[in-house]
Amino acid sequence: MRRGYTPARMQSPLKRSELDGLAEFYSLDPQRTETMLELAGARPSRAEGLRFLGRCLRIAGVLSLAAGVVFFVAANWSKLAVFGRFALIEIVLAGCVVLAFTRPPPAVIGRAATFLAFISTGALLALFGQTYQTGADVYELFLAWALLGLPLAVAAQWSVASAAWVLVLNASLLLFCGWNPSGGLLWAIFGGVHFRPAHLIMGAAWLNLALWFGFEFRRVEAVPDWVRRLVLSCAFGFGTWGGVLGVAGGDLVFGDMKGDAKTVLALAAVMAAVVAYTLRRRSDVYPLAVVMGTFIIVSMVWLARVIEFRDEGTFLFLALWLTGTSTAAGKILTTLAPSWRAVPKP
Amino acid sequence: MSAYLDFVALLRTRGVIPEKAPPAEGADRPWFVVLLQGVAGWLAGIFLLTFIGLMFKPSSTGAIFALGALLLVGAWALYHADRDAVFLDQLALAISIAGQFAVAWGIVKDHLSGLPIAATLLGLQVLVLIAMPNQIARTLAALFATIAWVFTVRFVLRPGQGEQMFFGYGHGETPPILGAWTLPIAWALTWLPLLALGIWLVRNEAQWMSGALRKLARPLLTGVLLGLSLGGIAAEPFTVFLLGNEMVGMRFSWWALFPLLSVALAMFAAYGAFRMRSHGLLGFAIVAALLHLSRFYYLYGTTLMWKSVIMLVIGALLLLGGARLARRDAETGGAP
């Protein structure tokens, strides 16, 4: 059975490069090429196309409505009193919840209503902060949204809602790690002298990684492969950032930070765990690709720091290092991908 | 037996191919591998150019141009030397990118002006697309050619506009050639040819696959779809990308709607990706569409209240359209 990032009907057993290779090798004329494309299921039928279009329109419609609600709150419309603004958003939220109860997910309407309720929760929190000037950091808004919206994201049973929740959570972590604020819930736990910025960033990476492993071991339909890839990308986005700070030890962002072996070790542990799991499962090479990408970036920064740009040869060395490592990464991944494609999946 | 060999057997049974042993199974290079190698190649190219620049210190435009041309020829030779040596391929990509930078710099060094730069880059990328015998190099060239095309049309119709932003000084902004009609005509001139090219390539896939054109058409299609997804940013005032500037006021302006047209272009690219069964391109187009939506939020030109109304109306219309298609699908039972 094939698995992928789109419904089975959208998948072709062969890649375009393989079909191109066959057309070239056998010097196929246009008619035979057309037959080959048809047999490969490489081109969707008209019905499939319309179905895809219908799904796109529905998802785009829901996202547009969600954007409309967010824009409305951001507009801070002066002609509407504070009470009216809250009432309006709360009516939208309540209406969505009622609709979701009437036509519960996974019905399309239920999913859309629950997703809109999730977005409205964020809009309501933003309106609260905007109206009462609570003094909260922006990351706290996103963190509160992620925590309060979690039940809705779960209830939606929809990959789009899961992805939106992941993005909200990571926006919160990014704001916390990037601005390094000295207040709020997370700071109460992780602030002070015990944690360096790189530690916080690695913490964000570990949190995402825990989510990824969680959903790898317990497969949920609402968290399909592409959402798990998103979570893993967030994990390694933070991991790369922390790793660069760990090896650079310079003034990349925080000025006086020194190199930090603990951060680098934590990153190495993350990479080792992901590689070990991926090699055991033999299902998807994407995790290996992000590990390799992280390795290439962090090792390049480390080398640049060690060599200290003493002469022009440093640039040649870095160019060759990048070329060599990316070649090796590409070779490994392109060798593994087809062999893993053939492995039957559970 | 692998899916590939299964399929070859099926083709033989149907008489599509003769009883001749098939070629070895091609390397499956997923989109993220192409991305990784493309970005690494780009960065390596910049390092390489820095090394060469520091080493040989070329100062005249002729020397820089000659150096760039030499690098491009070297990259071409490396690609041809051994097409299966992946290290050489990746090295050739880096050398090719260094060469492109050097040639472009050699040509425009003393003529910092929007139109010549955009036109030069367009010509250079078309040349690379045609000459370099490598899929990644050609795909990157097709993407950059698309972006360069967008800028070329922009600078032809709105001379000087945005040069201050790009180069730190301008040659004087002259009024748009076509006055108030500049914006819609520029949009049509920029995007309609690219849309037509994309549609033609998708519709006539079997035709170009069966000829030598396939080597060019495949990366061209990928590059055009990527360009359609993201190129909208380049078509608008660059100030928009920088999240607002005094050049674009708070009064209602048609500028405000342009990111929404970019969303439509990205969605067209998504449909093209669906037709090509390309998950990577589909994901890229969706991310680009969301990026355009966020730009619509930040873009001055009308109030957020109006934008909210626009999004709510569009959302309702899209949902209606989606529901109608779903009903039709249910009625026909998904029959083709």
Side-chain angles (χ1 to χ4, degrees):
Chain A
M1 188 177 76
R2 279 179 55 75
R3 292 169 59 248
Y5 304 93
T6 46
R9 62 178 173 273
M10 213 195 121
Q11 296 169 27
S12 165
L14 261 69
K15 301 279 175 192
R16 280 300 199 272
S17 56
E18 291 166 325
L19 296 171
D20 281 344
L22 286 171
E24 183 179 10
F25 185 77
Y26 290 107
S27 305
L28 298 183
D29 59 24
Q31 202 179 351
R32 285 172 189 271
T33 308
E34 188 72 57
T35 312
M36 178 179 73
L37 288 172
E38 263 176 44
L39 287 172
R43 309 176 85 173
S45 65
R46 187 179 153 76
E48 278 179 86
L50 287 175
R51 202 173 302 136
F52 173 79
L53 211 57
R55 288 184 70 186
C56 276
L57 290 180
R58 286 202 299 273
I59 294 173
V62 173
L63 290 177
S64 299
L65 290 182
V69 172
V70 172
F71 288 11
F72 176 79
V73 171
N76 199 12
W77 200 25
S78 57
K79 288 181 183 167
L80 199 62
V82 171
F83 179 80
R85 287 181 218 166
F86 273 101
L88 206 59
I89 296 296
E90 283 163 7
I91 286 169
V92 170
L93 181 58
C96 289
V97 171
V98 169
L99 196 59
F101 270 111
T102 319
R103 302 281 296 274
V108 174
I109 293 177
R111 279 179 168 176
T114 317
F115 176 75
L116 281 176
F118 171 70
I119 298 293
S120 302
T121 306
L124 190 61
L125 288 169
L127 183 64
F128 187 80
Q130 185 190 68
T131 308
Y132 297 112
Q133 296 296 315
T134 57
D137 277 305
V138 186
Y139 90 85
E140 286 181 275
L141 163 68
F142 282 93
L143 186 63
W145 185 5
L147 294 175
L148 292 174
L150 181 59
L152 293 168
V154 173
Q157 300 176 47
W158 194 24
S159 55
V160 175
S162 306
W165 184 82
V166 168
L167 290 178
V168 169
L169 176 70
N170 278 283
S172 163
L173 295 173
L174 187 65
L175 289 165
F176 180 71
C177 295
W179 287 358
N180 204 15
S182 51
L185 177 65
L186 284 184
W187 192 254
I189 302 168
F190 298 109
V193 292
H194 305 297
F195 293 95
R196 286 176 167 182
H199 296 161
L200 300 179
I201 294 165
M202 284 311 296
W206 276 97
L207 179 63
N208 275 295
L209 196 71
L211 278 174
W212 181 73
F213 271 118
F215 287 115
E216 278 290 314
F217 286 117
R218 185 174 168 74
R219 295 291 171 98
V220 181
E221 202 184 335
V223 187
D225 294 8
W226 72 271
V227 178
R228 292 203 300 280
R229 280 184 173 189
L230 176 68
V231 176
L232 192 67
S233 302
C234 292
F236 276 89
F238 281 111
T240 307
W241 182 10
V244 166
L245 290 181
V247 298
D251 53 357
L252 281 181
V253 176
F254 296 106
D256 58 349
M257 216 190 89
K258 290 190 171 68
D260 183 11
K262 271 191 279 188
T263 306
V264 180
L265 280 176
L267 176 63
V270 167
M271 292 161 78
V274 171
V275 169
Y277 172 78
T278 309
L279 289 177
R280 194 174 66 82
R281 194 165 179 94
R282 294 167 63 83
S283 166
D284 181 16
V285 293
Y286 184 78
L288 294 182
V290 287
V291 168
M292 287 169 183
T294 298
F295 172 77
I296 291 171
I297 294 170
V298 175
S299 64
M300 187 188 70
V301 173
W302 180 74
L303 283 171
R305 187 188 174 218
V306 170
I307 301 171
E308 288 181 335
F309 291 99
R310 284 193 201 98
D311 52 39
E312 57 267 24
T314 306
F315 289 99
L316 178 64
F317 180 72
L318 288 179
L320 290 174
W321 176 257
L322 267 174
T323 306
T325 48
S326 59
T327 300
K331 183 74 184 164
I332 293 168
L333 294 170
T334 48
T335 307
L336 289 179
S339 61
W340 287 8
R341 200 167 52 149
V343 175
K345 304 297 182 292
Chain B
M1 201 155 49
S2 70
Y4 176 77
L5 293 176
D6 279 344
F7 184 68
V8 169
L10 175 68
L11 289 178
R12 273 207 199 104
T13 315
R14 299 293 182 94
V16 179
I17 57 171
E19 286 290 334
K20 179 179 161 189
E25 196 165 342
D28 181 5
R29 192 176 286 184
W31 63 267
F32 43 84
V33 178
V34 176
L35 183 71
L36 191 148
Q37 292 193 308
V39 172
W42 235 77
L43 206 54
I46 292 170
F47 282 140
L48 196 62
L49 187 63
T50 311
F51 163 72
I52 293 167
L54 289 172
M55 193 76 183
F56 299 105
K57 297 185 174 61
S59 52
S60 68
T61 51
I64 296 170
F65 180 84
L67 188 67
L70 205 65
L71 286 169
L72 283 175
V73 171
W76 181 85
L78 268 182
Y79 276 132
H80 268 284
D82 185 355
R83 294 190 188 187
D84 291 327
V86 280
F87 179 78
L88 288 187
D89 271 5
Q90 192 67 2
L91 187 63
L93 180 65
I95 293 173
S96 155
I97 285 160
Q100 289 172 53
F101 272 118
V103 166
W105 184 239
I107 294 173
V108 302
K109 183 170 176 275
D110 298 329
H111 316 281
L112 274 185
S113 175
L115 183 57
I117 290 178
T120 301
L121 290 178
L122 176 61
L124 185 62
Q125 294 305 321
V126 170
L127 192 72
V128 172
L129 172 69
I130 294 168
M132 290 297 172
N134 177 272
Q135 193 85 348
I136 295 183
R138 279 182 164 151
T139 305
L140 284 175
L143 169 63
F144 295 137
T146 309
I147 304 291
W149 164 254
V150 173
F151 274 110
T152 304
V153 175
R154 171 191 165 141
F155 284 124
V156 166
L157 295 176
R158 299 203 294 270
Q161 201 258 346
E163 284 184 348
Q164 184 73 31
M165 186 65 65
F166 293 120
F167 314 121
Y169 68 90
H171 292 79
E173 201 171 314
T174 51
I177 290 172
L178 301 165
W181 285 95
T182 301
L183 200 56
I185 290 174
W187 194 93
L189 273 180
T190 305
W191 297 113
L192 292 184
L194 292 176
L195 284 169
L197 181 61
I199 290 168
W200 187 87
L201 286 168
V202 169
R203 283 198 173 168
N204 296 287
E205 191 184 14
Q207 256 186 324
W208 52 256
M209 266 180 80
S210 59
L213 197 60
R214 97 174 66 78
K215 301 273 183 203
L216 280 181
R218 183 69 68 202
L220 184 61
L221 177 56
T222 307
V224 166
L225 291 180
L226 289 173
L228 282 168
S229 299
L230 209 53
I233 289 174
E236 292 150 29
F238 217 68
T239 48
V240 172
F241 186 61
L242 298 174
L243 312 185
N245 186 286
E246 69 279 3
M247 283 169 70
V248 185
M250 283 297 289
R251 285 173 303 164
F252 183 82
S253 152
W254 292 108
W255 291 112
L257 294 177
F258 271 67
L260 289 180
L261 290 179
S262 301
V263 174
L265 289 172
M267 292 322 293
F268 171 82
Y271 187 72
F274 165 74
R275 296 278 304 167
M276 292 292 109
R277 308 273 197 200
S278 169
H279 306 134
L281 280 177
L282 181 62
F284 184 87
I286 291 169
V287 170
L290 292 173
L291 181 68
H292 293 310
L293 183 65
S294 69
R295 287 170 52 245
F296 180 59
Y297 174 86
Y298 285 111
L299 172 61
Y300 291 163
T302 186
T303 62
L304 275 168
M305 199 60 216
W306 267 111
K307 289 178 190 174
S308 169
V309 172
I310 290 167
M311 291 314 298
L312 291 172
V313 171
I314 288 177
L317 290 174
L318 290 172
L319 281 176
L320 277 175
R324 200 171 163 187
L325 280 176
R327 202 178 314 125
R328 188 173 147 182
D329 187 42
E331 282 167 8
T332 57

